[in-house]
Amino acid sequence: MSNPGSIGGLTVAWRLNAAGPFRVLRPYRNVEATAPCRTSIPEVSKQSRVALVKLAKGGRMPRLIVVSNRVADIHSSNAASSGGLALAMGGALKEEGGVWLGWSGKAIDEDDSPPHFETVGKVTLARIDLSRCHVDEYYNGYANRTLWPLFHHRTDLTAYEQSFRDAYLDVNRTFAHAIRSFVQPDDVIWVQDYHLIPLGRELRALGVDNRIGFFLHIPWPARELFVTLPQHADLVWSLFGYDLVGFQTDKDLKAFCDYFETELGAQPDEDGLMDLFGRRLLARSYPISINPSEMVELGRSENAQESFRRVREGNAGRKILLGVDRIDYSKGLPHKFAAFSRFLERFPERRGTASLLQIGQPSRSLVEEYQDVGDELVAEAGRINGRFGKLDWMPLAYHTQSYGRDALAGIYRAADVCLVTPLRDGMNLVAKEFIAAQDPEDPGVLILSRFAGAAEQLTEALLVNPYDNEQCAEAIAQAIDMPLTERIERWRTLNATINRSSLSSWKEDFMHDLRASKDGRHEAAAGVFSF
Ligand code: F6P
């Protein structure tokens, strides 16, 4: 809950701190409210113009231009991944080539920069540095303090601040101008995730008439919660700048359609086509996946063998329960720790026979709610170890580190059970990577939250409600005791599911529909539209 107030010319918002016996008001943020971010559109420098000419000349095949908040490290398939999006886009672009534009991750004292270009194999990376103010108000602000908590149903953590929204629109405009400076008529533009919802509309306003698709990597929220967002209708309308909008699951698509039906009285036809505001939008679900063969390959690497050996030797004679998550309140980590604690309480005879290894990848650490969950986990891990630990057994090992994907492949394979128990999650590729990394002769068991997008496909996992401590504790016991024949049977079905819908087929399905969508769209209405 936040409560704006004013102290000595500074605006502060107060947040109720629910931790501890008293609910204490403490400053939520402290910025000059009347100083909006500067919004000049960056000029493309001479050096960049030379790069742009080269880009345009580089063979006149229609290019794929991927746009996402962050451009990941594409140099190696082994880079520690900071999430499913980076993994998916890196993989998709390496196959087909193209341009990947996004924020460099740098905050600079000046205004936003024009893109810096770098070519790696078939991929040209175009990175934009953002002003400190934009990093604070767009990335830490509207993206991660407004849309992220809201779309993950945490209205209690959602900050509704106009300056955040202004900065969000500014950065989308900066990205649109950068793309317009090098886009060619046949290029197909594929925009990723909640940071860039209005980008399609901004591009149309600049006269960009290419096919433009959008994919949302996180869940679409329930209508009742979504309408708490000031200007929610504008955000939805801006999606009509796209030809195709993709969601992770049928559930998300349904929630999106529910908004249209209830708020606007509009209904998509049976193909997912919506006609509104003089434009036609196709909305469908495309569950994202991994390339399982790549995981199998990584599992053969030296680093994988080494991490496998170390995890097994460090837990000799014990069952290994594993968690791999970004440190994020949506991942349900305190609930997972509580479930493990309950498991040790309920089954005292199991103490000393199993350990939980939780890898927490640091994430968005400038956002206070992320610091809070990190602090809570350290304290909780200490409490569990203090309460149950013995001289020769530490129940819970909590590492706040990011491992390379090759090392992770070995860690997945070493585990007997993987707990993927988010409170709400777009898809969750850890669940799929764990399955792909298993030994077919002796596979581990996946415990999966019914609130992860992956649960729509991975129905042979042990599906749990992460809020239900007792059920999760029982699922841990069931997973540990599961006979080999059942483990193999479940794993085969799960692995077949993953192999049926790989990352490559995800990309191909989306691109196929995006390319096909142009023919059906209202050409006359393709230009600027505003509300
Ligand atoms: O999957 C959602 C997502 O926000 C992706 O867009 C991103 O790659 C990942 O989580 C990690 O987030 P961030 O870029 O904020 O570290």
Side-chain angles (χ1 to χ4, degrees), residues 70 82-83 85 139 144 148 193-195 218 326 364:
R70 231 186 247 283
S82 63
L85 187 154
Y139 174 69
N144 288 328
W148 179 273
D193 230 356
Y194 60 103
H195 313 83
I218 65 174
R326 276 190 310 105
R364 304 174 193 164

Side-chain angles (χ1 to χ4, degrees), residues 293-308:
S293 53
E294 192 197 1
M295 237 321 114
V296 172
E297 194 54 43
L298 284 169
R300 296 196 184 105
S301 66
E302 241 174 69
N303 281 348
Q305 312 284 329
E306 174 64 10
S307 59
F308 176 88

Side-chain angles (χ1 to χ4, degrees), residues 135-136 139-140 145 363-371:
V135 172
D136 195 33
Y139 174 69
N140 292 325
R145 281 178 176 153
S363 180
R364 304 174 193 164
S365 46
L366 290 179
V367 178
E368 197 178 326
E369 289 74 17
Y370 286 76
Q371 296 163 7

